[in-house]
Amino acid sequence: MAAPDPTDHKSRTLLGRLSLPESRYIADALRAETVGGVLLLVAAIAALLWANIPAVSDSYAAVRSFHIGPASLGLDLSLQHWAADGLLAVFFFVAGIELKRELVAGDLRDPKAAALPVIAALCGMAAPALVYALVNLTGNGSMDGWAVPTATDIAFALAVLAVIGTSLPSALRAFLLTLAVVDDLFAILIIAVFFTGDIDFLALGGALVGLALFWFLLHRGVRGWYVYVPLALVVWGLMYNSGVHATIAGVAMGLMLRCTRAEGEQTSPGEHIEHLVRPLSAGLAVPLFALLSAGVSLSDEAIAQVFTRPETLGVVLGLVVGKAVGIFGGTWLAARFTRAELNEDLAWPDVFAVATLAGIGFTVSLLIGELAFEGDDTLTSEVKAAVLIGSLIAAMLACVLLKLRNRRYRELTEAEERDEDHDGIPDIYEEDRPEYHLRMARIYEERAAEHRRKAEKAAAAAQGTASGSTTEADRPA
């Protein structure tokens, strides 16, 4: 597909350079996500080994189905259930903070700038759902799993980048992160709308009252974890018993935090709490969920079933084909109709590579798979295997595409990070400042003077050596 035609002076740059504060925020967020992604990868591998080694596979099933919790409060749940509804509430709490920050201080605060990631994310969710629907309509499969391939797992995607040693330029990293944030928003809406059972309005009313109290305390500036953590647990418990998926409580509380900085603040309350909670989410909650959810049978028969059953084949093709085509197509259309020109440092194959990488749908896809086929353990396990296989295929394709451009990415990354005047600000952000060029002139003058001194010293040493050689030659035998 050809790039959009050049436009007039009113055209905007697609995937252009980030501002310095935004670039630093993105770098910090992705660094934390990368560490969490590696732990997630390790947990997934451990779960697969635990579930597929005959000597210990029975213990995996026993641990996952072990029940714990107060039955009188309706919370006598299996460990797998606690992971899906409890631990992932922490994950979605962080996602809610990320979304709030993007809406008030990040790329999504500007409607024109937000158009690209929103359109790309929507197309990147609609296309996999459409692929799943087509496969299951032609194969007489169940349509219940249409939402499974719609999610992107940013942590797993970054873990893949870390493993293959590829460093994306900041514009592509920001695009991937913003895509994931918008993707999480729509995944939350899908869970809330399509996977809510019979509603207990009394419990739901109690949860809403708790959320209102949470907001009131934040608005009044009340501080102290000992106030908010117990309140959050009560809200979560009421939300769970209401029939609405309990992770929605986490998102709601994350969205309530203030993510704009008041005068004199170095970080906003939302950013501060995200900094504290993200390690818990990425380092504990999500890996434990993966450990208790990703353990599915990968026998030859099970793998063959993935590619022959319409529900599972739809998931695989949705992740591998639907995500790549949807995100790339949505990005191209957004550029075409908003008169945006692609950043001259990048090419459209770079966008396609990132779109392919977004086909790694792990955490939320596994969660939706459990919700979509609840009560059918066999199909749930097969859909989970399809998520793993589809994510693996997408990761392998993305690795190939990204490696082809790795040298170019390294050059761009080094240029973005170069700081020759050692003032803590990358040079690329100071090229329009006269004082930067004056500092660089002084640096080069000092270097030139040093090299002249070294040249004079080397010349003197060479002359002395030559004189000594002449004296030795003139001396009588």
Side-chain angles (χ1 to χ4, degrees):
M1 187 176 289
D5 297 331
T7 57
D8 57 19
H9 65 281
K10 293 183 179 180
S11 65
R12 297 184 299 107
T13 300
L14 181 70
L15 302 181
R17 185 193 307 163
L18 304 175
S19 66
L20 182 58
E22 188 69 9
S23 178
R24 286 176 170 170
Y25 172 81
I26 293 291
D28 291 341
L30 293 184
R31 193 177 298 113
E33 291 284 5
T34 301
V35 174
V38 173
L39 293 175
L40 179 61
L41 186 60
V42 171
I45 294 172
L48 290 172
L49 292 174
W50 194 359
N52 285 277
I53 296 175
V56 295
S57 58
D58 290 341
S59 67
Y60 179 75
V63 168
R64 193 162 59 169
S65 60
F66 181 77
H67 277 64
I68 189 173
S72 59
L73 299 178
L75 297 175
D76 182 19
L77 310 177
S78 67
L79 291 182
Q80 182 183 5
H81 209 159
W82 274 111
D85 288 82
L87 293 178
L88 284 193
V90 180
F91 166 79
F92 279 106
F93 175 71
V94 175
I97 299 174
E98 289 178 337
L99 177 61
K100 179 67 172 292
R101 185 199 170 275
E102 288 293 324
L103 289 171
V104 301
D107 288 343
L108 299 182
R109 73 184 185 280
D110 179 4
K112 291 182 179 179
L116 171 64
V118 170
I119 292 172
L122 279 174
C123 292
M125 299 185 80
L130 181 60
V131 168
Y132 179 93
L134 290 174
V135 171
N136 282 270
L137 286 174
T138 56
N140 295 319
S142 171
M143 293 295 294
D144 292 343
W146 64 270
V148 175
T150 60
T152 293
D153 195 310
I154 181 66
F156 220 123
L158 292 171
V160 170
L161 292 179
V163 169
I164 66 174
T166 295
S167 179
L168 289 180
S170 61
L172 289 179
R173 284 181 286 161
F175 179 57
L176 182 61
L177 180 61
T178 309
L179 264 179
V181 171
V182 179
D183 193 286
D184 285 341
L185 168 62
F186 289 110
I188 292 161
L189 293 176
I190 287 173
I191 291 171
V193 174
F194 295 99
F195 297 104
T196 294
D198 296 331
I199 296 179
D200 182 334
F201 287 98
L202 181 61
L204 180 60
L208 294 177
V209 170
L211 288 172
L213 178 59
F214 191 90
W215 175 87
F216 176 77
L217 294 174
L218 288 173
H219 186 68
R220 299 294 295 179
V222 176
R223 296 176 179 271
W225 65 268
Y226 46 83
V227 174
Y228 292 102
V229 171
L231 179 58
L233 292 174
V234 170
V235 171
W236 176 87
L238 289 169
M239 189 70 75
Y240 174 82
N241 281 289
S242 73
V244 177
H245 200 269
T247 54
I248 303 301
V251 177
M253 287 183 279
L255 287 171
M256 290 181 184
L257 294 175
R258 177 168 62 83
C259 292
T260 53
R261 300 179 186 179
E263 185 177 353
E265 286 184 338
Q266 293 185 344
T267 59
S268 66
E271 291 172 322
H272 175 67
I273 292 174
E274 180 190 7
H275 179 73
L276 295 175
V277 179
R278 185 184 288 276
L280 176 64
S281 171
L284 181 66
V286 177
L288 277 178
F289 169 76
L291 182 65
L292 294 170
S293 296
V296 295
S297 173
L298 291 181
S299 63
D300 294 342
E301 182 181 352
I303 293 175
Q305 191 82 347
V306 167
F307 293 99
T308 56
R309 185 161 184 163
E311 294 89 351
T312 51
L313 181 60
V315 170
V316 172
L317 293 179
L319 289 171
V320 176
V321 178
K323 272 290 183 182
V325 172
I327 292 174
F328 179 82
T331 305
W332 188 87
L333 289 172
R336 186 81 177 183
F337 290 104
T338 60
R339 296 184 176 183
E341 295 181 17
L342 186 65
N343 183 345
E344 61 182 11
D345 292 329
L346 302 174
W348 284 101
D350 298 323
V351 179
F352 185 77
V354 172
T356 304
L357 186 66
I360 300 174
F362 187 77
T363 305
V364 179
S365 290
L366 291 178
L367 174 61
I368 294 178
E370 291 181 357
L371 297 174
F373 298 105
E374 189 175 6
D376 190 338
D377 293 339
T378 300
L379 187 51
T380 298
S381 296
E382 291 174 353
V383 166
K384 287 183 178 181
V387 169
L388 295 174
I389 292 172
S391 297
L392 178 61
I393 295 172
M396 293 173 64
L397 291 175
C399 286
V400 173
L401 295 174
L402 293 170
K403 275 296 185 182
L404 292 175
R405 294 272 289 170
N406 196 39
R407 179 179 297 179
R408 178 58 176 162
Y409 294 156
R410 191 180 297 115
E411 292 173 353
L412 292 173
T413 302
E414 289 174 354
E416 291 173 351
E417 296 175 352
R418 187 177 296 117
D419 182 19
E420 292 188 351
D421 59 345
H422 305 293
D423 66 343
I425 300 175
D427 297 339
I428 199 169
Y429 291 99
E430 299 186 290
E431 292 175 346
D432 58 345
R433 299 179 183 178
E435 57 271 21
Y436 161 74
H437 293 286
L438 292 174
R439 283 198 304 273
M440 291 305 301
R442 287 195 298 271
I443 290 172
Y444 285 127
E445 287 168 0
E446 291 171 359
R447 290 178 182 175
E450 179 65 22
H451 282 294
R452 280 193 292 269
R453 285 193 297 271
K454 289 181 179 180
E456 292 170 358
K457 184 177 180 180
Q463 184 176 359
T465 302
S467 299
S469 299
T470 302
T471 303
E472 289 289 335
D474 293 341
R475 183 177 301 166

